[in-house]
Amino acid sequence: GAGVSQSPSNKVTEKGKDVELRCDPISGHTALYWYRQSLGQGLEFLIYFQGNSAPDKSGLPSDRFSAERTGGSVSTLTIQRTQQEDSAVYLCASSFGGVSQPQHFGDGTRLSIL
Amino acid sequence: AQKITQTQPGMFVQEKEAVTLDCTYDTSDQSYGLFWYKQPSSGEMIFLIYQGSYDEQNATEGRYSLNFQKARKSANLVISASQLGDSAMYFCAMREGQNFGNEKLTFGTGTRLTIIP
């Protein structure tokens, strides 16, 4: 499709396991963003990529969280040693970059930590 | 201090009426952008409208318009002739600055709009 694609759509895992979430941005979009949405914290910014570099990682909540982007396209968000507070919907967005460009979101990955 | 404040947790509006969703923001930057997104119960975030801080005209996109009052730091979303399909959560968001790397959006807590037939 033409939109931002995220996989898996749902992920249930046990506390302490590592998880990988994938985002495939809209073709031609150079900027890619990760956010998470939870009942307690609302929508929070995690990290932003321009091309393959990450000018802003300020939202990553701990060193258990990391992300990479390869080939200026697909991005993977990795959470190591998951905790129950990591349960949330992880949203990926992409844009052409620049001050007025809207970010277009995928449907998210709902992550549940047991 | 909250950067984006949406004071209406929930609103109920009769179908075909106009509705205004409030958003106030706090920033010391002169250059910033304001965005509104819609999130239906299915979960996807849908971009609605954008207003730049230097834009002199209020933004409009179909039935959506943005009532931008810079001195009051408010950016209210107006939906004209509401429809049942407008029932959703609505989020106001801000991007501050225009330097490379300043692209994160800060979101408000949202307003849940319910359109009554």
Side-chain angles (χ1 to χ4, degrees), chain A residues 9-83:
Chain A
S9 53
N10 283 283
K11 177 74 177 178
V12 181
T13 193
E14 294 179 348
K15 176 182 170 181
K17 301 284 190 183
D18 298 351
V19 294
E20 283 190 355
L21 312 180
R22 176 188 166 103
C23 173
D24 201 342
I26 293 171
S27 179
H29 280 186
T30 57
L32 186 148
Y33 317 80
W34 284 98
Y35 295 85
R36 73 176 176 181
Q37 185 174 25
S38 59
L39 281 175
Q41 302 298 322
L43 272 153
E44 304 173 278
F45 167 79
L46 296 177
I47 187 169
Y48 150 59
F49 287 93
Q50 182 61 250
N52 291 336
S53 64
D56 190 350
K57 308 179 185 179
S58 62
L60 294 178
S62 76
D63 58 8
R64 296 187 296 106
F65 288 71
S66 63
E68 65 175 13
R69 189 179 186 197
T70 55
S73 182
V74 171
S75 176
T76 303
L77 177 69
T78 301
I79 310 173
Q80 295 179 308
R81 305 181 302 282
T82 51
Q83 303 292 314

Side-chain angles (χ1 to χ4, degrees), chain A residues 31 33 35 37 43 45 48 50 53 55-56 58 91 95 97-107, chain B residues 31 33 35 37 39 42-45 47 50 91 95 97-108:
Chain A
Y33 317 80
Y35 295 85
Q37 185 174 25
L43 272 153
F45 167 79
Y48 150 59
Q50 182 61 250
S53 64
D56 190 350
S58 62
L91 293 165
S95 81
V99 297
S100 65
Q101 293 297 319
Q103 297 175 21
H104 297 277
F105 284 78
D107 289 343
Chain B
S31 176
F35 300 80
Y37 284 85
Q39 187 176 42
S42 50
E44 73 271 30
M45 293 282 285
F47 165 71
Y50 164 80
F91 291 95
R95 178 205 43 75
Q98 60 178 3
N99 296 328
F100 174 75
N102 286 359
E103 297 219 5
K104 71 178 183 186
L105 293 179
T106 301
F107 286 85

Side-chain angles (χ1 to χ4, degrees), chain B:
Chain B
Q2 292 291 327
K3 286 188 176 286
I4 296 286
T5 302
Q6 295 181 256
T7 57
Q8 306 150 312
M11 289 186 70
F12 291 84
V13 172
Q14 204 75 36
E15 188 180 8
K16 298 181 186 176
E17 289 186 351
V19 57
T20 297
L21 305 181
D22 294 342
C23 173
T24 57
Y25 59 91
D26 182 25
T27 182
S28 57
D29 284 335
Q30 295 301 307
S31 176
Y32 51 89
L34 297 155
F35 300 80
W36 277 92
Y37 284 85
K38 171 184 179 181
Q39 187 176 42
S41 55
S42 50
E44 73 271 30
M45 293 282 285
I46 303 167
F47 165 71
L48 296 178
I49 197 166
Y50 164 80
Q51 179 84 41
S53 59
Y54 293 121
D55 295 341
E56 294 186 355
Q57 303 267 7
N58 285 344
T60 61
E61 290 284 351
R63 292 187 300 112
Y64 304 108
S65 61
L66 204 151
N67 184 359
F68 181 47
Q69 298 188 39
K70 195 169 181 177
R72 295 185 178 185
K73 294 189 174 179
S74 76
N76 298 341
L77 177 70
V78 181
I79 306 174
S80 64
S82 57
Q83 303 171 355
L84 295 178
D86 294 334
S87 293
M89 280 288 286
Y90 288 80
F91 291 95
C92 180
M94 176 172 65
R95 178 205 43 75
E96 295 177 272
Q98 60 178 3
N99 296 328
F100 174 75
N102 286 359
E103 297 219 5
K104 71 178 183 186
L105 293 179
T106 301
F107 286 85
T109 52
T111 295
R112 182 171 297 282
L113 177 63
T114 303
I115 307 300
I116 306 166

